[in-house]
Amino acid sequence: MDIVVATNNKGKLSEIKKILSSHNVLSQSDVGADIEVDETGVTYEENAFLKAEAIRAYTDKIIIADDSGLEVDVLDGAPGLYSARYAGEGTTPMQGIEKLLFNLKDYKPEEKTARFVSCIALLMPNGEKHTFRGECEGLIIDELRGENGFGFDPVFYVEDFKRTFSEISDEEKNSISHRFKALEKLRDFLDTI
Ligand code: ITT
C-alpha cells in the first residue's frame, strides 16, 4: 500500500520507512506538502491527527502521523507532549538534552526512570480514523553516549541492550522502540483490510 507520513522529522521518517518496509512509504514532501503544523493539541492523539489531517489537502492516499515524547517520572511526565520544544521554540535537540540533564542533576541514577511514547494516527482515504500506541521503558543517564538516532536517544538507556538508543543499531532500536510497537499494531491492522 502507498502510505504518506506527515512528519518533518527525518529521524522518524527513516525509522518508519524501515519498520513499514513491506509498504511504499512516502514523505509529506513527496506529495508536495512542505508545511509545518502547529501542535496545539493537549494529547499525543490530538497532535498526531492535526498533523495527519493537514496533509489531506495534498493527497488522497493513506496518511499516518506520529506524535511522540519522552516522559520522565520524577519530572511528572515532562517533557512529554512538549519534547520537541522542551528548551523553547527553535532550539536544537542538544539544548533539550542539556535542559533535561540539568533538571535531573540531583537525582540518583535509579530514580531517573522514563519512557518514550509514540502515538500513530491513521487517516484512511474514506475518512476512517484509528490510533495505535507504543511505549518503551528506560533510564535517563547523565552523559551522552553514542551517535545514532535523534532527539533524546543519546541519554535514553535501555536495560534490554544495556546501552543507549544512540549506541544500538537502527535494527536494534526498531526491534524494541515505542515507534516500532505502535507501527507493529498499525501493520497488523493494515493486514486485515
Ligand atoms: P514532526 O511533528 O514533524 O513529526 P517532531 O520532532 O516535532 O516532528 P513530535 O512533535 O512528535 O515530532 O516530537 C517528538 C519529540 O520527542 C522529538 O522531537 C524528540 O525530541 C522526542 N522523541 C520522540 N521519539 C524519539 C525517539 O525515538 N528518539 C529520541 N527522541 C524522540
Side-chain angles (χ1 to χ4, degrees):
M1 287 176 201
D2 289 344
I3 301 173
V4 180
V5 185
T7 183
N8 285 306
N9 181 320
K10 291 193 171 66
K12 265 190 200 178
L13 180 67
S14 133
E15 287 182 12
I16 294 170
K17 283 190 167 177
K18 285 184 182 151
I19 296 166
L20 297 182
S21 59
S22 56
H23 294 281
N24 181 33
V25 175
L26 305 165
S27 68
Q28 64 174 60
S29 49
D30 289 335
V31 298
D34 292 317
I35 56 166
E36 184 94 44
V37 175
D38 273 347
E39 297 185 27
T40 52
V42 295
T43 62
Y44 296 112
E45 284 76 8
E46 275 178 36
N47 279 340
F49 277 119
L50 284 174
K51 291 185 263 194
E53 277 159 3
I55 305 301
R56 186 45 86 217
Y58 298 84
T59 179
D60 51 17
K61 296 183 191 301
I62 292 173
I63 299 167
I64 63 170
D66 161 289
D67 200 61
S68 45
L70 174 68
E71 300 182 346
V72 181
D73 293 317
V74 292
L75 301 178
D76 296 328
L81 212 58
Y82 308 101
S83 296
R85 43 192 190 283
Y86 188 41
E89 235 20 274
T91 53
T92 62
M94 186 58 75
Q95 287 171 294
I97 291 179
E98 282 166 6
K99 177 171 177 183
L100 182 69
L101 297 191
F102 179 80
N103 288 341
L104 290 174
K105 66 181 172 25
D106 297 328
Y107 293 95
K108 299 191 185 102
E110 65 275 16
E111 289 175 329
K112 293 184 280 185
T113 52
R115 74 204 47 78
F116 273 123
V117 178
S118 163
C119 173
I120 301 286
L122 167 66
L123 208 54
M124 299 297 287
N126 66 3
E128 210 180 294
K129 294 175 175 186
H130 298 274
T131 57
F132 306 91
R133 203 178 165 97
E135 299 191 1
C136 180
E137 300 288 329
L139 283 173
I140 305 302
I141 56 167
D142 58 10
E143 57 176 13
L144 285 84
R145 288 194 210 152
E147 305 294 329
N148 300 333
F150 68 96
F152 293 98
D153 281 348
V155 293
F156 189 79
Y157 175 92
V158 281
E159 203 51 57
D160 283 8
F161 290 105
K162 302 212 179 306
R163 282 176 286 161
T164 67
F165 263 2
S166 285
E167 291 177 302
I168 60 179
S169 67
D170 294 352
E171 289 69 28
E172 287 171 324
K173 181 178 176 189
N174 291 340
S175 72
I176 59 163
S177 78
H178 49 311
R179 190 160 295 106
F180 164 72
K181 288 174 186 159
L183 288 169
E184 198 181 29
K185 294 178 190 168
L186 166 82
R187 226 165 43 186
D188 289 348
F189 173 81
L190 292 176
D191 283 348
T192 67
I193 57 174

